[in-house]
Amino acid sequence: MLSKRIFLLPLACLISLAPLGAKAAPEWADPDYPEIDYGGTYGMLASENGFMEMMGWWAYGDSGAAYSNIDSLKSAANKSLLMREHDHTRFEAECTDGKLAFVVTHASGMGKGPSAFAVTDSGDIEVVYSFDGGEAHKAAWPDLFEGRSTGLRQDQAYRFMKALEKADDVVLRMHSSDGSPLELNFALAGAEEAFAPVLEACGYQ
């Protein structure tokens, strides 16, 4: 009898010390990217509490019905900066009533800092971007709304999106309206999947 107790005791200890199962992923998590942590407050914000479909680091949505003056709006917004650094800068592809755009929108300063990018005298916003730590590309993108957003339209947007699909990450270097530098690093996993319905809606392959 003693020998049986000696055998059972270590077994009970092993059971009690076994690691608990992993915490269940939230319902909006993309199962194809188990390495991405979709949990917590910022994971919930990224998916808009599950309203948007997460595809890798991208939140895809069809929200045209929310606007009285828009018939169709399909978007794919990158959420890696929000989820990893809690930065609300928007980096997204949009097809609005058949017109394609890729837009970068400055995070709101919430009264404590700038809410716009620096705009040149010619009305452009200077951007330096690089894919996967490679060559730096200098560009002047148009000011789309009072310095708060900039981006590319139609074929230029398409070509930029196709470059994003082939990369793992992209870094954008810009300046806020007060002259302070910005370095925005976006992870791109899921881009091809998230872009597909946006491009299709705008007649691109």
Side-chain angles (χ1 to χ4, degrees):
M1 189 67 179
L2 181 59
S3 61
K4 184 180 290 186
R5 289 179 181 173
I6 292 173
F7 172 77
L8 291 176
L9 182 58
L11 180 61
C13 291
L14 287 172
I15 293 173
S16 66
L17 293 175
L20 297 176
K23 185 177 179 180
E27 60 182 16
W28 54 79
D30 184 347
D32 292 336
Y33 294 90
E35 69 276 15
I36 297 177
D37 181 6
Y38 294 97
T41 300
Y42 287 91
M44 183 173 66
L45 287 173
S47 69
E48 296 186 15
N49 203 22
F51 178 76
M52 305 287 275
E53 180 182 359
M54 297 303 298
M55 299 180 180
W57 287 111
W58 302 81
Y60 169 76
D62 183 347
S63 52
Y67 302 91
S68 60
N69 60 335
I70 295 176
D71 293 325
S72 174
L73 171 59
K74 298 182 186 298
S75 64
N78 188 282
K79 300 296 182 177
S80 64
L81 201 62
L82 173 65
M83 293 168 65
R84 298 188 303 180
E85 301 181 30
H86 307 167
D87 185 317
H88 290 263
T89 300
R90 295 187 67 85
F91 186 73
E92 61 190 317
E94 301 174 347
C95 179
T96 307
D97 290 339
K99 296 180 180 179
L100 184 66
F102 197 95
V103 180
V104 184
T105 303
H106 198 292
S108 172
M110 302 296 288
K112 298 180 180 179
S115 296
F117 298 112
V119 181
T120 67
D121 293 339
S122 59
D124 294 321
I125 293 173
E126 295 180 343
V127 183
V128 178
Y129 61 91
S130 59
F131 300 107
D132 298 332
E135 178 185 357
H137 303 272
K138 295 182 179 180
W141 290 355
D143 174 14
L144 300 180
F145 181 66
E146 298 178 349
R148 296 181 184 180
S149 61
T150 184
L152 302 168
R153 298 189 185 279
Q154 296 296 92
D155 291 351
Q156 288 184 322
Y158 172 77
R159 288 192 291 270
F160 185 67
M161 290 167 66
K162 285 299 176 181
L164 293 175
E165 289 181 357
K166 297 175 182 177
D168 293 323
D169 63 73
V170 63
V171 175
L172 275 66
R173 294 178 175 85
M174 307 169 72
H175 286 85
S176 291
S177 56
D178 64 353
S180 58
L182 294 170
E183 183 170 299
L184 309 170
N185 191 331
F186 298 95
L188 303 173
E192 185 173 3
E193 179 185 8
F195 289 169
V198 178
L199 292 171
E200 181 180 5
C202 274
Y204 289 89
Q205 298 296 322

